[in-house]
């Protein structure tokens, strides 16, 4: 039998009906989730988050490194030249927080190309900086038995300035995650494959998932192009994608990073259907008839 998939509610996107992160954890647990992920949990005390996770039988499976100076438009510091010290300080904060709440995966954010610079003129310098910082981060994370993740974010709809924008090894004008991973060469650095971004940049999801499967440390989902529930109208057939991931033996969590069209719980029909089908597949053959 294919390995059943596990899903984590991304609390930066889901259950926004609730103001606090701790309230969202409780809401996710009541909806049936066993795990959550969140971009930047740092405004919530780690001890407080740990307690609510434990009380609800939940785990947190992924957080991001700090974004940097949001007022300056920063979205991560990993690839920004002349900000090595700031990156390392942010990494230290992320590792400390992750240890406190029992999180084993950290998304090491690359950051944006400065708006006053041409991408092609700074790509090489930013790539060199990113590789150097990732090697440093991977070594730090290895000591803590943690996994580092890098995520390509599409430059066509979501963020034209984000540095890392495709999983591919070589595409002109795009910065490829596969090339970065190869050059860093650390076993505890993996690809965070958000299928929403991947679809927008390239499509061809069957081959992309299969080709990069050994590199994938974490998967995230949303429908394209509107980034709503997986079963909302759009370009991606998630029933097929889930079957593919099962057949390939994916054992990590799948982060639900989408914007609900209405209430979060009202939009979880797709997940309840998956869970129901899983339960049915566990029944004896005679009981299914």
């Amino acid at each position: 039998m294919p390995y059943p998939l596990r899903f984590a509610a991304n609390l930066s996107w889901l259950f926004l009906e609730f103001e606090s992160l701790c309230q969202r954890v409780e809401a996710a647990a009541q909806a049936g989730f066993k795990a959550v992920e969140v971009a930047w949990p740092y405004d919530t005390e780690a001890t407080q988050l740990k307690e609510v996770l434990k009380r609800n039988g939940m785990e947190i499976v992924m957080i991001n490194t700090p974004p940097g100076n949001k007022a300056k438009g920063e979205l991560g510091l990993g690839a920004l030249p002349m900000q090595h010290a700031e990156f390392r300080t942010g990494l230290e904060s992320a590792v400390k927080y992750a240890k406190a709440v029992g999180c084993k995966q950290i998304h090491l954010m690359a950051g944006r190309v400065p708006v006053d610079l041409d991408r092609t003129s700074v790509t090489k310098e930013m790539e060199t900086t990113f590789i150097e910082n990732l090697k440093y981060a991977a070594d730090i994370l290895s000591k803590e038995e943690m996994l580092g993740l890098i995520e390509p974010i599409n430059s066509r709809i979501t963020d034209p300035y984000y540095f890392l924008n495709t999983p591919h090894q070589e595409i002109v004008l795009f910065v490829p995650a596969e090339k970065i991973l190869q050059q860093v060469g650390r076993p505890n650095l993996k690809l965070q494959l958000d299928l929403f971004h991947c679809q927008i940049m390239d499509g061809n999801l069957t081959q992309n998932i299969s080709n990069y499967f050994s590199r994938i440390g974490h998967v995230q989902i949303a429908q394209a192009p509107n980034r709503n529930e997986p079963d909302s109208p759009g370009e991606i057939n998630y029933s097929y994608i889930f079957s593919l991931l099962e057949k390939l033996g994916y054992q990590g969590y799948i982060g639900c990073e989408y914007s609900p069209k209405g209430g979060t719980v009202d939009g979880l029909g797709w997940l309840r259907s998956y869970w129901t089908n899983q339960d049915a597949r566990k029944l004896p053959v005679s009981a299914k008839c």
Side-chain angles (χ1 to χ4, degrees), residues 7-287:
F7 297 86
N10 188 305
L11 300 184
S12 299
W13 290 78
L14 302 186
F15 300 102
L16 299 187
E17 299 92 334
F18 301 91
E19 184 176 355
S20 76
L21 181 56
C22 290
Q23 288 175 318
R24 294 174 196 172
V25 169
E26 293 179 335
Q30 291 172 10
F33 285 98
K34 299 298 183 183
V36 298
E37 61 182 33
V38 60
W40 301 295
Y42 305 107
D43 289 340
T44 301
E45 288 291 335
T47 53
Q48 186 180 8
L49 179 57
K50 180 180 180 180
E51 193 279 329
V52 74
L53 287 167
K54 181 179 180 180
R55 187 171 69 245
N56 287 277
M58 300 280 274
E59 64 177 310
I60 183 167
V61 298
M62 194 271 294
I63 64 173
N64 293 357
T65 49
N69 190 328
K70 288 186 176 181
K72 293 182 178 179
E74 292 177 342
L75 190 65
L77 302 170
L80 300 189
M82 308 303 293
Q83 295 206 47
H84 293 80
E86 291 85 348
F87 172 78
R88 293 185 179 192
T89 298
L91 175 67
E92 181 181 358
S93 298
V95 170
K96 181 180 179 180
Y97 196 99
K99 286 176 64 177
V101 298
C103 181
K104 291 295 186 179
Q105 297 186 134
I106 298 178
H107 171 203
L108 306 165
M109 300 199 73
R112 291 173 169 144
V113 177
V115 295
D116 57 339
L117 297 177
D118 176 65
R119 178 183 285 271
T120 56
S121 67
V122 298
T123 291
K124 185 60 181 176
E125 184 180 10
M126 292 187 72
E127 182 179 303
T128 299
T129 299
F130 198 29
I131 291 169
E132 179 182 340
N133 281 334
L134 289 175
K135 287 180 178 179
Y136 174 85
D139 291 343
I140 295 295
L141 294 175
S142 179
K143 296 175 184 177
E144 305 294 344
E145 298 184 340
M146 292 180 181
L147 186 70
L149 302 166
I150 61 172
E151 179 190 17
I153 295 176
N154 82 83
S155 58
R156 292 184 170 134
I157 295 177
T158 301
D159 195 329
Y161 297 106
Y162 199 75
F163 177 68
L164 191 69
N165 50 24
T166 176
H168 286 289
Q169 183 173 0
E170 290 291 349
I171 296 185
V172 177
L173 297 181
F174 297 146
V175 179
E178 171 68 5
K179 179 183 176 183
I180 298 290
L181 289 171
Q182 287 183 358
Q183 293 189 51
V184 174
R186 298 293 194 275
N188 68 322
L189 185 66
K190 295 283 189 176
L191 175 65
Q192 180 173 316
L193 189 65
D194 187 315
L195 297 181
F196 164 76
H197 295 305
C198 190
Q199 170 66 15
I200 289 169
M201 291 303 289
D202 183 62
N204 196 24
L205 294 182
T206 299
Q207 289 302 313
N208 283 328
I209 293 170
S210 301
N211 289 344
Y212 298 115
F213 189 73
S214 64
R215 296 280 197 189
I216 296 173
H218 190 61
V219 172
Q220 291 177 318
I221 59 172
Q223 187 55 273
N226 295 323
R227 208 167 189 172
N228 299 131
E229 286 88 346
D231 64 342
S232 62
E235 302 169 3
I236 305 177
N237 180 346
Y238 273 106
S239 294
Y240 170 81
I241 293 296
F242 293 159
S243 295
L244 174 63
L245 289 169
E246 287 178 349
K247 291 175 183 176
L248 290 171
Y250 179 69
Q251 297 185 26
Y253 275 96
I254 296 177
C256 303
E257 190 182 63
Y258 61 82
S259 178
K261 296 177 71 174
T264 301
V265 172
D266 293 339
L268 289 176
W270 66 272
L271 185 53
R272 288 190 288 267
S273 293
Y274 181 84
W275 286 335
T276 298
N277 290 336
Q278 283 298 312
D279 290 340
R281 288 159 64 178
K282 294 177 184 177
L283 294 173
V285 174
S286 59

